């Protein structure tokens, strides 16, 4: 294989990895503040893509307005899921919340199967995102360039929020010590809602880009990206936001390169993320950026 | 300022605080002394809203029992928890920012200045993670953080725990100084000698019940207290 092709695949891996990273941030932040693996997170991404489709084809919004609406509406969905399903269990055992999260996941998948049916819908791609670029023989879909840029921009905004705003600082404080955060006069429930809103809106952004890359959407589409993003979050060190982004990039690139270098293994492509995860955890059980688990996260 | 009446705290079947009543008048230092497991922390947590309780807790005339912890904090009660609980993953400045969570941006700067004036060591390390501080420095930070909200009642849970005698003396000096400037203090201690020296009034807590109360000076000379809490045979 020549360098041009490898370069091309590297870019594709980067794009795929940023999608995993965007979704992984939601897993890692929710885990950071309430120690819950939100297994419904991939399905929240799916809900986001359906909202986007409705915004474009029913509300007839321009793509940028549909994008904004989707981000805010999905944030709202995430907050409502927390209030209805997880908040009543805040003081229950962690396994109860975990099982509830799996229940929410099944509920969302089946609710959307009932409403929209199982037949994949095609996702409308605005002209702006559908072209390809040719740079010195490397052929790149425009979307593969936009996705990593947008993902990094979101990551930068999030890091700014976490380190420079009082709610962001409170999220980091909360990830270490919930009771003491309360003593500071901070409304912990509001902060947790804010975390769900951020995680869900990033999942929505990931979902929209996912649909722009693979423009056929169905109610079960969130499962595999959700699982791989979960693997990315654990690989990067669950609770660490930069870790989630790095984990996402690594899994995306490994997946694409493995298939490019060993085409006969294409059928096993979904297994690479998990193999890599197992391999890394054997050597560093806390993940790449994971620290001592009781020393706070993010 | 704070009136506690018939306060009960239960953890499942464990009855940790058994119907105690006490007062903290404005401008005074009141101390609760008692051995391990006497129910001192449970009492403070009940006042701060961190654990459920029964009975009556009145602060500045308002019934605060059963209110959420962040609302109680916003009413002007600040608790420095046992074991300090600074946010080790945040910098010193961020810890102080959390202490003044509900302060406006314009109010923060003078409050930081005040904290740094009181604890110069914190200024030098302002951008260092709190986890890198020594135990004594963390206690100073916990105190500075609690003052950021400009509370009218400061509650301290065993501030001397695990600190060298010299640092303990420093912490108690600061508490005394704060009180001389008008701060009302509810101090919980196992270190009865130190606590009784700076307090105005004291209660002795044993197995969840108050067994003795008097002026702190009088308790310092009380035979029973000297035997049980001041290490005299
Ligand atoms: N979360 C909890 N669950 C169950 N029992 C508890 C809990 N917290 C405290 N207790 C029990 O309640 C009683 C009072 O505890 P508390 O922490 O209030 O004592 P304390 O006077 O602060 O002791 P120390 O000096 O050791 O800090 C003890 O018997 C303790 O074991
Ligand atoms: Mg205690």
């Amino acid at each position: 294989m020549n360098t041009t092709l490898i370069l091309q695949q590297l870019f594709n891996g980067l794009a795929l990895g940023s999608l995993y990273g965007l979704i992984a941030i939601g897993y890692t932040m929710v885990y950071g503040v309430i120690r819950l693996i939100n297994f419904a997170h991939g399905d929240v991404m799916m809900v986001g893509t359906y909202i986007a489709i409705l915004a474009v084809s029913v509300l007839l919004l321009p793509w940028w307005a549909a994008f904004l609406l989707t981000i805010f509406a999905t944030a709202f969905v995430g907050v409502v899921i927390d209030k209805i399903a997880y908040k009543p269990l805040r003081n229950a055992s962690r396994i109860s919340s975990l099982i509830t999260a799996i229940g929410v996941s099944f509920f969302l998948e089946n609710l959307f199967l009932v409403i929209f049916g199982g037949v994949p819908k095609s996702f409308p791609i605005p002209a702006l995102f559908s072209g390809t670029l040719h740079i010195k023989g490397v052929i790149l879909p425009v979307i593969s360039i936009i996705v990593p840029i947008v993902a990094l921009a979101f990551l930068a905004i999030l890091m700014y929020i976490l380190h420079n705003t009082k709610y962001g600082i409170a999220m980091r404080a909360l990830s270490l010590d919930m009771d003491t955060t309360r003593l500071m006069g901070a409304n912990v429930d509001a902060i947790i809602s804010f975390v769900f809103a951020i995680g869900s809106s990033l999942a929505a952004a990931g979902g929209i880009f996912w649909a722009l890359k693979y423009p056929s959407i169905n109610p079960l589409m969130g499962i595999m990206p959700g699982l791989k993003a979960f693997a990315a979050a654990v690989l990067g060190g669950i609770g660490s936001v930069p870790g989630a982004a790095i984990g996402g990039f690594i899994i995306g690139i490994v997946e694409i390169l493995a298939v490019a270098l060993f085409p006969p293994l294409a059928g096993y492509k979904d297994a690479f993320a998990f193999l890599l995860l197992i391999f890394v955890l054997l050597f560093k059980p806390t993940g790449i950026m994971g620290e001592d688990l009781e020393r706070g996260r993010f | 300022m704070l009136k506690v009446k018939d306060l009960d705290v239960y953890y499942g079947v464990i009855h940790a605080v058994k119907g105690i009543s006490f007062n903290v008048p404005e401008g005074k230092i009141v101390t609760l002394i008692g051995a391990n497991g006497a129910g001192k922390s449970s009492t403070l947590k009940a006042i701060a809203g961190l654990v459920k309780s029964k009975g009556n807790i009145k602060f500045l005339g308002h019934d605060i029992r059963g209110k959420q912890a962040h609302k109680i904090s916003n009413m002007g009660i600040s608790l420095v928890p046992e074991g300090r609980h600074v946010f080790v993953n945040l910098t010193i400045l961020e810890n102080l920012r959390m202490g003044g969570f509900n302060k406006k941006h314009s109010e923060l700067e003078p409050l930081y200045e005040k904290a740094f004036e009181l604890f110069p060591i914190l200024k030098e390390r302002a951008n260092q993670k709190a986890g890198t501080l020594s135990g004594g420095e963390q206690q100073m930070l916990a105190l500075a953080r609690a003052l950021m909200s400009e509370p009218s009642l400061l509650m301290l849970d065993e501030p001397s725990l695990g600190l060298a005698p010299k640092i303990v003396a420093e912490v108690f000096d600061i508490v005394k100084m704060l009180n001389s400037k008008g701060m009302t203090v509810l101090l919980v201690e196992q270190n009865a000698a130190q606590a009784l020296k700076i307090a105005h009034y004291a209660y002795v807590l044993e197995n969840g019940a108050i067994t003795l109360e008097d002026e702190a000076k009088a308790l310092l000379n009380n035979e029973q207290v000297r035997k049980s809490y001041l290490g005299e045979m």
Side-chain angles (χ1 to χ4, degrees), chain A:
Chain A
M1 181 181 283
N2 60 34
T3 41
T4 330
L5 256 173
I6 290 191
L7 218 59
Q8 196 164 313
Q9 296 299 2
L10 217 60
F11 263 99
N12 287 334
L14 214 58
L16 183 64
S18 354
L19 293 181
Y20 292 149
L22 278 177
I23 304 167
I25 288 171
Y27 278 107
T28 226
M29 288 186 69
V30 165
Y31 185 84
V33 293
I34 56 173
R35 306 293 189 265
L36 164 73
I37 301 291
N38 180 13
F39 273 119
H41 192 57
D43 304 295
V44 170
M45 167 201 135
M46 174 276 293
V47 171
T49 58
Y50 274 92
I51 294 175
I53 259 196
L54 292 178
V56 173
S57 56
V58 178
L59 300 179
L60 302 174
L61 295 177
W63 68 266
W64 59 267
F67 187 89
L68 284 181
L69 175 75
T70 303
I71 297 257
F72 284 105
T74 314
F76 182 72
V77 169
V79 172
V80 169
I81 289 174
D82 171 53
K83 290 274 183 230
I84 294 177
Y86 306 144
K87 179 151 184 272
L89 296 171
R90 211 72 96 207
N91 296 318
S93 69
R94 282 161 70 171
I95 193 76
S96 314
S97 311
L98 195 69
I99 291 168
T100 305
I102 296 171
V104 172
S105 168
F106 286 158
F107 171 76
L108 290 175
E109 287 161 14
N110 288 291
L111 178 70
F112 276 66
L113 273 171
V114 169
I115 300 177
F116 295 99
V119 182
K121 289 195 184 319
S122 75
F123 196 82
I125 301 180
L128 181 62
F129 299 116
S130 58
T132 49
L133 282 184
H134 300 249
I135 306 166
K136 299 197 173 170
V138 183
I139 306 166
L140 290 174
V142 172
I143 187 80
S144 295
I145 299 170
I146 293 180
V147 168
I149 293 173
V150 174
L152 285 176
F154 276 133
L155 182 64
I157 295 171
L158 180 57
M159 292 310 281
Y160 180 85
I161 292 176
L162 286 175
H163 288 270
N164 296 285
T165 69
K166 81 171 183 182
Y167 272 95
I169 295 171
M171 284 173 201
R172 290 161 54 221
L174 180 55
S175 75
L176 182 77
D177 189 334
M178 187 177 288
D179 271 350
T180 307
T181 306
R182 285 199 175 97
L183 288 178
M184 305 291 110
N187 182 349
V188 162
D189 291 328
I191 298 166
I192 293 171
S193 290
F194 197 12
V195 166
F196 271 90
I198 291 177
S200 305
S201 54
L202 293 180
I208 291 173
F209 287 125
W210 189 275
L212 291 172
K213 259 174 90 66
Y214 312 100
S216 152
I217 71 172
N218 69 75
L220 303 182
M221 66 174 287
I223 298 175
M224 197 41 82
L227 281 176
K228 286 190 197 153
F230 167 62
V234 176
L235 179 69
I238 189 95
S240 160
V241 168
I246 291 171
F249 280 126
I250 292 178
I251 286 188
I253 290 170
V254 166
E255 183 176 319
I256 295 265
L257 282 188
V259 173
L261 296 175
F262 312 102
L265 294 182
Y268 295 101
K269 84 176 166 60
D270 288 336
F272 291 126
F274 307 109
L275 271 179
L276 186 69
L277 177 64
I278 291 168
F279 187 73
V280 170
L281 291 188
L282 280 178
F283 294 98
K284 195 154 188 302
T286 54
I288 295 168
M289 304 278 281
E291 287 176 41
D292 176 359
L293 291 182
E294 290 319 314
R295 294 221 114 201
R297 289 139 217 273
F298 297 175

